Amino acid sequence: MIDINASVMQVLLAFVVVGPLLGAVAALLPAPPGLKGKSPEQAVLRHGVTVTGAILAATIVLALGFDHDHPSKMQATTDISWIPALDVRIHLGIDGISLPLLVLTALLTFLCALYSYFKMPAGPSPKAFVALLLLLESGTLATFAVLDLLLFFLAFEMVLIPMYFLIARWGGEGRTQAAWKFILFTLLGSVVMLLGLLLIGIKAGTFDMMALATDNGRSLTASVQVIAVLAVGLGLAVKTPMWPLHSWLPDAHTAAPTVGSVLLAGVLLKMGTYGFVRILLPIAPDGFRTFAPYLAAFAVVGIIYGSLACLALAKQGAKGDLKRLIAYSSVGHMGFVLLGIATMTPTGVNGALFANIAHGLITGLLFFLVGALKDRTGTTDLDSLSLLSPGHRPSTSGSAAPNQLQAGAALYGKAPRLGGLLAFAAVASLGLPGLAGFWGEMLALFGAFRPAAGLSRPAFLTFMAIAAFGTLLTAAYLLIVVRRVCMGPVPQQAPELADVHTYEFAAWTPLVALTVVAGLWPRALLGLTDPAVQQLLAGGTR
């Protein structure tokens, strides 16, 4: 690690948050004559790659300059009065909890911009696309960096409009309905969340998240904490998404363009779980303890429900959409994150934060791969993808003929690198030991084995057993997908299928590498999060 002056760290963090916003404004301006290249469209796409690349570089320098010996300490802080009448401050800072999410956001946005430079989704002007992508990045990075409740809310809401337009203007079939469903669900949740945040700030006399965390709920009565957790938790649960508030997610993923799905799964879902850890756990611990068993119950229902939905979609003749299947898998995976948070233990919360990062890497890669499959085949319908030959069609009766049961797209034979990457992402998603998906889920289960004092251990042991069964269901549907899409003999008259292109290798390799590194060396992430979590749960007194 490198020694960087504190003031330089402040400037870097401010640049990381504000830089994409300035880049979004610049994207809408005419390109300078010398930078147009072959066309203005290419110039603005190149601008997107440049800005997101600069933000990623700044984030990496920020991570290198971070004091890894004291990850529980808030670093690179800026604290400026913004609205004195409400005591709202522009308060920024990062610790071991927010730093990994900051890096993940910057990385995924850069990879999406790079991918779009070579494979721009069909739709209106690239200018608007790049501006929305950068606006989305700015809002997400701000969510993980701000330390004021009202500023958190503004950043939290800032991402909704760009994601709405990315789905509505560059999405596929059913995009308008999916975009409206996304915006209505999240906005309704946000209205309730704002009321809860205002209640906390007014009753405690401050909106400063650090002061509130140190106070640890002492200035809030038990009834205020319960109401605040219910209101704020509902808004966060919609974004997470928690069952049964998840129904907007499959439609949004199915309709969104590839990069929209990557950012939705890899970054936006993390904003909800981050809010649970950063706001509710330290600021209203007694109120959170009241709702923790219910949160855990909803979490394990989501794990089973998501897995069963995926199994139904993976079934032969079900006309299951592969993007929709991965979306439902996210409901299950985020269930493990919520279960870990609900245990209120360092083990469970660390597992939740690890699972957050792992899900962002693995599911981001899965959506990239499914997008590539759609570009090559024109479909994400699992039955169409798994036909043995172009002449076969799925049975309309819902059952399959014997020869169709063995049908496979033979991706291993047609495009071996693409098939291998899809299989890798699938086994990483099912939690294979040695890959990133394993540690978060295991730690969440360990946290449920011995929950925090005041929580019913028999109830959490039951939740643990149900969640563990969910891991078996997860393995079942992902292996079915691999068998149907990747395996099978190559038909003699099979259409040509291009293997992985160079730009795809460039966009996907970092995700593969980090999935392996996080799986083999979990301490790299847990060493950052654990001291910060310990202090957070102790109310900033440790």
Side-chain angles (χ1 to χ4, degrees), residues 279-345:
I279 297 173
L280 294 185
L281 270 178
I283 293 176
D286 295 334
F288 193 87
R289 189 172 285 105
T290 301
F291 286 104
Y294 303 102
L295 180 64
F298 283 125
V300 296
V301 170
I303 292 170
I304 300 300
Y305 170 83
S307 299
L308 292 176
C310 289
L311 278 170
L313 289 169
K315 183 182 175 184
Q316 185 87 17
K319 289 290 183 183
D321 187 281
L322 196 48
K323 286 184 78 173
R324 197 172 189 85
L325 184 145
I326 298 170
Y328 274 111
S329 79
S330 291
V331 176
H333 288 305
M334 298 313 288
F336 281 99
V337 177
L338 290 173
L339 176 62
I341 294 169
T343 66
M344 299 184 71
T345 61

Side-chain angles (χ1 to χ4, degrees), residues 226-238:
V226 168
I227 296 169
V229 169
L230 181 61
V232 177
L234 277 173
L236 297 173
V238 171

